[in-house]
Amino acid sequence: MSVKTRVYEGKAKILYTTDDPQILLAEFKDDATAFNAQKRGSIEKKGIINCSISSKLFQQLETHGIRTHYIDTPAPDQMRVKALKILPLEVVVRNIAAGSLCQQTGLALGTVLKKPLVEFYYKNDQLGDPLLTSDRLFLLELATPEQVDTIAHLALQINKSLCEFFGRCDITLVDFKLEFGLDAQQQLLLADEISPDTSRLWDNSKETDPNLRVLDKDRFRRDLGNVENAYQEVLQRVLKAIESSK
Ligand code: TMP
């Protein structure tokens, strides 16, 4: 009889041990937070929706040669993942200017970037996840130069694959956040989740109204309403795109 021990609780997931020390169980929560948890709420069925979307996207990336922590989905809101040493980095890839890039640079919302921008943030809630310079990243020894190069390369590969996939969903991938971890062999694997919580997704079929286009957590952050519907819509389109590619 196995005893589930909680090893970590984040804002959107709880991680439990399993019988196998190499495997953890991630339980996706309905809880939603924004602005470093200053805003709190709940999005109905978010745990199930984000677990489903993430599972499908990880499987999709695996078929394109990207190694991820994903193993399988034993329950709708649960994902079995490889136990990794997570690097304290939030890796953001941007295709279109939005969010903090607009706030911190003055670039207009919606500006299409000439090439994808890869940014590293320090995953540290107490400090508010600050944007890192490479010198600060190495000063804090958050990763080695070789790891940073590999992550930047993987992030661009993942972006290419996801842009193509979301294109088939009639969705524009504006930006997204990734986390990486090291396995026992010190190999870098994609970890965490990829979902409407951790990305900006704009509906191509509603191009006339910018607010109507938002299919991600900005609906919660900016009180745009219909949050659950937007998350459901992303899941339905992801499932449809996978079905029609079979
Ligand atoms: P930002 O524009 O607020 O920096 O966010 C960039 C992307 O990163 C966006 O897709 C949302 C995602 N993100 C997270 O997943 N977690 C976070 O804590 C933050 C601030 C952003």
Side-chain angles (χ1 to χ4, degrees), residues 190-202:
L190 178 61
D192 196 47
E193 66 179 276
I194 307 174
S195 72
D197 266 13
T198 61
S199 58
R200 287 195 171 89
L201 304 166
W202 290 356

Side-chain angles (χ1 to χ4, degrees), residues 31-209:
D31 299 352
T33 63
F35 314 116
N36 206 9
Q38 287 177 65
K39 177 175 177 143
R40 288 175 180 276
S42 169
I43 300 172
E44 211 183 316
K45 300 225 171 67
K46 178 169 85 75
I48 290 175
I49 297 171
N50 280 356
C51 182
S52 308
I53 294 172
S54 267
S55 300
K56 296 295 177 195
L57 294 177
F58 283 142
Q59 289 172 60
Q60 199 66 26
L61 288 169
E62 290 273 359
T63 67
H64 286 89
I66 307 284
R67 295 187 61 208
T68 78
H69 70 160
Y70 177 78
I71 298 173
D72 59 14
T73 314
D77 61 345
Q78 291 179 359
M79 191 190 283
R80 288 197 318 142
V81 298
K82 291 170 196 146
L84 303 177
K85 182 174 174 283
I86 301 294
L87 298 179
L89 293 172
E90 299 205 345
V91 183
V92 171
V93 183
R94 301 177 190 270
N95 298 301
I96 292 177
S100 69
L101 181 64
C102 296
Q103 282 152 20
Q104 292 169 12
T105 65
L107 270 176
L109 175 68
T111 305
V112 178
L113 307 185
K114 285 199 181 110
K115 58 176 187 151
L117 180 66
V118 179
E119 299 177 322
F120 291 82
Y121 292 80
Y122 185 15
K123 186 176 158 65
N124 184 318
D125 281 342
Q126 277 181 338
L127 298 175
D129 300 339
L131 177 63
L132 289 162
T133 61
S134 54
D135 284 346
R136 285 187 184 185
L137 191 160
F138 296 132
L139 170 77
L140 298 176
E141 298 182 355
L142 303 178
T144 65
E146 197 192 9
Q147 287 167 344
V148 168
D149 278 354
T150 306
I151 290 172
H153 180 76
L154 283 171
L156 290 173
Q157 255 186 292
I158 293 164
N159 183 45
K160 200 165 166 229
S161 184
L162 291 180
C163 279
E164 193 271 326
F165 179 78
F166 278 116
R168 289 196 273 126
C169 302
D170 211 14
I171 287 172
T172 297
L173 179 60
V174 174
D175 57 32
F176 57 98
K177 185 262 299 181
L178 300 172
E179 293 182 27
F180 291 87
L182 295 166
D183 67 11
Q185 290 74 42
Q186 300 299 301
Q187 292 299 304
L188 273 166
L189 268 66
L190 178 61
D192 196 47
E193 66 179 276
I194 307 174
S195 72
D197 266 13
T198 61
S199 58
R200 287 195 171 89
L201 304 166
W202 290 356
D203 187 351
N204 296 342
S205 69
K206 300 215 173 66
E207 295 224 27
T208 42
D209 184 335

